[in-house]
Amino acid sequence: GPVVVRHMATGGATSPRAAVIFLHGSGDCGAGVREWLQSVSGGEFERRLADAGVRAIYPDAPAIPYTLAGGCMQAVWFDRKRMAYDAPEDADGVSRSVEQVDGLIDQLARDGVPPNRVAVAGMSMGACLALHVAYGRGRHAGAVACAASCSTFLAADSCVDQAARDRFGAEGAPPSPPLFMAHGTQDGMIRLQWAEATRERLVSAGVRAPAELLTFPVGHELCTPEVQQLTAFLLEHLSGS
């Protein structure tokens, strides 16, 4: 088939020993979420990563017909029929986007940064994809350094639950990559309860999710203290490796 070259933004270290793949939310792009992270952190997000030898990569989602936008083409990682906890997961869209991120992880490995020095993080829909990449059915699930989820949830019927249970739940199974999870208490798009239910499901599937959701008094957005804590988490799990 045709080779699709997708755009992405990059920042941080130029000769990295570790990397963060940060996945944007619906209708955004890699450059957009990069600017958002830099803005709310006063430039500290990439500066601190660069100082630690970590490259930041912000890939773009493909443009596909998006049901929530009336079927118009939008940059989204997968489709959503409804913005609801019990809406069905778009299995085909998810698996195509997991493969896109797995391909980036393959490329990093060829460039000398193995999966155990790669963090997968995201905002909103991108965070949902990060959970799939780190704990679901992707080729590098269970092998990445850590994952970070800001303002997201997994659909009630998500394939991640069973995949994680199979991988991390068995006796003597390797520990899962640790997970950072944050949410705004005033989020009017993705309810706090959906994120909390997702966290509980991940814990019961054997994922090293936090004992409680990190919450901030904001809406569906990134905020300064959240990005500071996210940065500290990423550095903690990428610096020792």
Side-chain angles (χ1 to χ4, degrees), residues 147-226:
S149 158
C150 301
S151 306
T152 207
F153 73 104
L154 286 169
D157 71 348
S158 179
C159 69
V160 170
D161 299 65
Q162 192 57 53
R165 199 171 289 115
D166 293 345
R167 183 173 281 107
F168 309 118
E171 193 66 43
S176 95
L179 174 63
F180 173 95
M181 264 191 115
H183 212 88
T185 54
Q186 292 150 37
D187 193 326
M189 185 186 291
I190 294 178
R191 289 182 200 159
L192 189 61
Q193 299 94 296
W194 304 351
E196 178 49 37
T198 297
R199 189 199 66 78
E200 290 169 10
R201 282 161 51 199
L202 288 169
V203 168
S204 74
V207 170
R208 284 198 287 166
E212 55 185 45
L213 204 54
L214 203 54
T215 58
F216 298 91
V218 296
H220 191 68
E221 61 196 301
L222 294 165
C223 66
T224 302
E226 173 188 22

Side-chain angles (χ1 to χ4, degrees), residues 6-7 19 23 43 51 73 79 82 85 92 120 125 131 153 181 205:
R6 295 224 173 84
H7 292 285
L23 304 166
D51 287 351
M73 298 295 277
D79 194 23
R82 291 177 290 123
Y85 185 68
D92 291 344
V120 187
M125 181 184 274
L131 294 175
F153 73 104
M181 264 191 115

Side-chain angles (χ1 to χ4, degrees), residues 14-19 53-55 57 103-118 238 241:
T14 43
S15 306
R17 34 157 233 87
V54 180
R55 186 153 188 70
I57 301 168
L104 267 182
I105 297 173
D106 293 339
Q107 184 59 54
L108 282 164
R110 288 193 290 272
D111 294 343
V113 180
N116 68 352
R117 293 211 298 271
V118 176
L238 291 173
S241 51

Side-chain angles (χ1 to χ4, degrees), residues 12 20-22 33-34 36-51 54-58 121 226-228 230-232 234-235:
V20 176
I21 298 171
F22 199 100
V33 80
R34 177 191 188 190
W36 197 3
L37 286 159
Q38 286 294 84
S39 169
V40 297
S41 69
E44 287 292 285
F45 180 69
E46 279 188 9
R47 193 191 61 73
R48 291 181 63 196
L49 292 178
D51 287 351
V54 180
R55 186 153 188 70
I57 301 168
Y58 311 89
E226 173 188 22
V227 174
Q228 286 170 340
L230 167 66
T231 308
L234 294 171
L235 293 175

